Amino acid sequence: MTTAVDRHRVVVLVLPGVSALEFGIAMQIFGADPHYEMTVCTDGQGGQVPSAGFTITASAGLDAMGVADTVIVPRYENVDVPPSSDVLAALRAAHARGTRLVSICTGAFALAAAGLLDGRPATTHWQYADQLRRRYPRIDVLPNQLYVDDGDILTSAGITAGVDLCLHLVRLDQGSAAANTRARFLVAPPRRTGGQAQFVDPIRADATGDRLAPLRDWMLENLADDLSIDVLATRAHISRRTLIRRFREEVGTSPMAWLTHARIDRARELLETTTMSVERIGRLTGLGAPASVRAAFHRQVGTSPREYRALFRHSG
């Protein structure tokens, strides 16, 4: 029988604008498990939940992190405003003591603001990945991962990826059988295949300029054709070098990388909305033979065409 002394002490840090769902994930998985002792803490600014009509009342202050085995930072709303200096200091002190630090979704921004992710791999919700990378360039942001386990610091992508990470923590602490039991209670898979790229819509980069917009539109209409750099340069009436430079200026990547992402986006659409074979989808999108389609999906989406279709195929 687990005693209070034996229990793993989990502290959930509530920041202003905390997300009720991500907060609830941590509470649901650890709060009802007798192997864990749960505490909710704040720096005194309160846990007002945006647009929810209620406030989360913390039972402890930041000093609770001083005795925690694990500190979890759920998603919070305004990542443009760093947490208070007291919060950042408490996170640094907890890490220095050997406390395991965990973030769900944008909670990674709090760990980043404390300087704890510098030189480390980390992830967050795909919508915020570029922002995290720009603001904290020393972090190795992995936008396709559902979660990243870097030993004493673990980060997860958005919302339900927090479930994946918390089940992973139970698996580390208590073994696979305990994690599987908890997953059954939650009616959730113990492990999910693929990364969060399969949930991004679309994966091709948005343009910030429009000089090459007609060319990109033409590319989208002719994905099945042989769209080499020479073909594209001729179509745009510019040199290869100018094409590559302008493309990178407008979309932040090369013409071939953007084309591959556009073809993947079209293939995803066909997998979701039709029963076409992978072979036919490869021809229509220019991805090529089925083996090439599968390789591109594993590389860019983190899963296979068949698994993607099973997950996203429209019913009816």
Side-chain angles (χ1 to χ4, degrees):
M1 181 175 181
T2 302
T3 66
V5 176
D6 298 326
R7 289 193 294 175
H8 186 105
R9 292 164 295 187
V10 176
V11 173
V12 180
L13 172 62
V14 173
L15 296 174
V18 65
S19 165
L21 181 53
E22 281 88 338
F23 173 80
I25 288 170
M27 297 302 297
Q28 182 66 43
I29 292 180
F30 299 108
D33 190 323
H35 294 87
Y36 296 96
E37 177 186 338
M38 286 291 304
T39 303
V40 178
C41 82
T42 183
D43 66 349
Q45 297 187 43
Q48 185 69 37
V49 181
S51 307
F54 64 87
T55 298
I56 296 172
T57 302
S59 58
L62 296 178
D63 57 346
M65 287 195 277
V67 295
D69 297 305
T70 295
V71 171
I72 300 177
V73 188
R75 178 184 186 273
Y76 62 101
E77 189 172 61
N78 191 0
V79 297
D80 292 324
V81 179
S84 69
S85 58
D86 289 341
V87 167
L88 299 182
L91 287 170
R92 295 187 194 105
H95 180 253
R97 282 190 297 270
T99 300
R100 181 171 64 183
L101 301 183
V102 178
S103 69
I104 301 177
C105 194
T106 60
F109 281 80
L111 301 183
L116 298 173
L117 297 181
D118 288 353
R120 288 177 174 263
T123 193
T124 187
H125 192 291
W126 59 266
Q127 285 187 319
Y128 295 91
D130 285 343
Q131 185 176 350
L132 183 64
R133 182 185 291 111
R134 288 194 303 270
R135 185 173 301 172
Y136 303 102
R138 295 184 63 188
I139 301 174
D140 180 16
V141 180
L142 304 177
N144 187 36
Q145 302 298 310
L146 292 175
Y147 62 83
V148 173
D149 180 346
D150 195 37
D152 55 343
I153 298 183
L154 302 91
T155 55
S156 73
I159 310 176
T160 54
V163 175
D164 296 307
L165 178 52
C166 288
L167 288 175
H168 174 68
L169 294 175
V170 174
R171 191 177 301 112
L172 292 175
D173 296 339
Q174 303 177 47
S176 295
N180 292 345
T181 298
R182 201 75 194 129
R184 291 188 185 98
F185 177 79
L186 296 170
V187 196
R191 298 176 187 264
R192 281 196 293 171
T193 60
Q196 61 172 324
Q198 60 191 304
F199 304 102
V200 179
D201 184 25
I203 63 172
R204 68 177 183 271
D206 292 330
T208 57
D210 57 8
R211 284 188 298 177
L212 294 179
L215 177 65
R216 289 191 295 273
D217 290 342
W218 178 81
M219 292 167 69
L220 293 175
E221 294 170 0
N222 296 274
L223 293 175
D225 295 347
D226 176 18
L227 302 181
S228 66
I229 289 290
D230 288 332
V231 168
L232 298 178
T234 299
R235 176 78 186 183
H237 306 293
I238 54 179
S239 69
R240 288 167 50 99
R241 184 174 180 178
T242 300
L243 171 70
I244 294 170
R245 176 176 56 78
R246 288 185 182 174
F247 223 97
R248 190 168 292 280
E249 288 173 352
E250 293 191 13
V251 299
T253 189
S254 69
M256 293 299 99
W258 189 90
L259 175 60
T260 297
H261 291 165
R263 284 170 164 163
I264 290 287
D265 286 337
R266 178 58 176 154
R268 291 167 65 201
E269 179 184 346
L270 294 174
L271 287 168
E272 292 178 24
T273 60
T274 76
T275 58
M276 288 182 187
S277 67
V278 173
E279 181 178 7
R280 187 178 179 195
I281 289 174
R283 291 198 303 268
L284 291 175
T285 61
L287 287 173
S292 298
V293 178
R294 286 191 287 269
F297 257 74
H298 277 292
R299 185 169 57 252
Q300 302 292 340
V301 185
T303 189
S304 69
R306 186 170 83 168
E307 290 170 335
Y308 184 88
R309 172 171 270 163
L311 184 62
F312 289 101
R313 174 81 171 93
H314 294 320
S315 62

